[in-house]
Amino acid sequence: MPGQFEAIPGGGAAVALDEVEISIIRSLAVQLLELIGPGPGEDASDDPLAELFAEGPSEPPTDPVLQRLLPDAYGGPGSEEGSADADELRAYSAEFRRFTENDLRAKKRDDALVVIRCLDSMTAAGDGGAVLKLSAEESRHWLGALNDLRLAIGARLDVIDEEDTDLLYQLPDEDPRKPMVMAYLWLGGLQETLVGTLIV
């Protein structure tokens, strides 16, 4: 079980994590929360219907990581700037974002909070590490958060496709990006084994 999730009875998953791994995942989840931003403030409406129809931003974020986490719904690579089609797609994306971004941010915030709470509630084993046991629902939150963490790190590393990932393996140890690359690859392994437990 070290370094990989395994299915457990009842539809959950378990993984052994040492104190350093716990600290890394928790720190990354906290940074993700800070990037996504806080939820509704004190001035939020108590009316659930008003909350349902609350409008979000219509412009895409400027931060490249947030652009990766909250992409435009329409357009993307291949859309020619300045063309009538591109302008139309941009308008569709703005409208879609206005009604979906708040919910998407809330989902990502919830996923990261579940990760932090699970790590905070772990009981340490005698060897300085612990076994994290997740319910099926917690596993789905973890999967979302691991995906978001990899997308965020991948954006910082300019990972666009498989070729970029292959180049990461070739970085020399003295490259300042190496720790981020190691986290990216490690989280990918965790994500892959967690997916495996969900389809068993």
Side-chain angles (χ1 to χ4, degrees), residues 38-140:
E42 292 178 9
D43 59 343
S45 172
D46 290 335
D47 180 1
L49 192 58
E51 190 65 30
L52 181 65
F53 291 103
E55 294 183 13
S58 58
E59 292 297 316
T62 56
D63 185 300
V65 174
L66 285 175
Q67 288 174 5
R68 183 81 55 97
L69 292 171
L70 306 164
D72 276 336
Y74 303 96
S79 302
E80 293 191 26
E81 283 295 318
S83 71
D85 288 343
D87 291 342
E88 191 173 338
L89 291 175
R90 196 173 300 108
Y92 291 152
S93 288
E95 189 72 2
F96 187 82
R97 181 178 297 279
R98 196 160 56 99
F99 291 107
T100 60
E101 184 169 312
N102 286 345
D103 289 341
L104 189 55
R105 282 181 186 259
K107 166 77 170 86
K108 292 177 182 304
R109 197 168 21 259
D110 289 346
D111 290 345
L113 284 170
V114 167
V115 167
I116 292 167
R117 289 180 186 130
C118 287
L119 293 174
D120 288 349
S121 68
M122 287 176 71
T123 55
D127 61 357
V131 175
L132 172 67
K133 292 185 180 180
L134 303 175
S135 67
E137 183 179 348
E138 289 169 335
S139 293
R140 288 187 287 276

Side-chain angles (χ1 to χ4, degrees), residues 15-36:
V15 63
L17 298 171
D18 64 30
E19 291 176 6
V20 173
E21 293 168 330
I22 292 168
S23 174
I24 290 170
I25 296 171
R26 190 182 190 290
S27 173
L28 290 172
V30 168
Q31 291 175 54
L32 182 64
L33 276 177
E34 292 170 354
L35 185 65
I36 292 168

Side-chain angles (χ1 to χ4, degrees), residues 3-7 13 15 188-198:
Q4 63 182 23
F5 279 96
E6 293 182 5
V15 63
L190 286 175
Q191 183 181 17
E192 184 178 344
T193 59
L194 184 54
V195 167
T197 70
L198 296 174

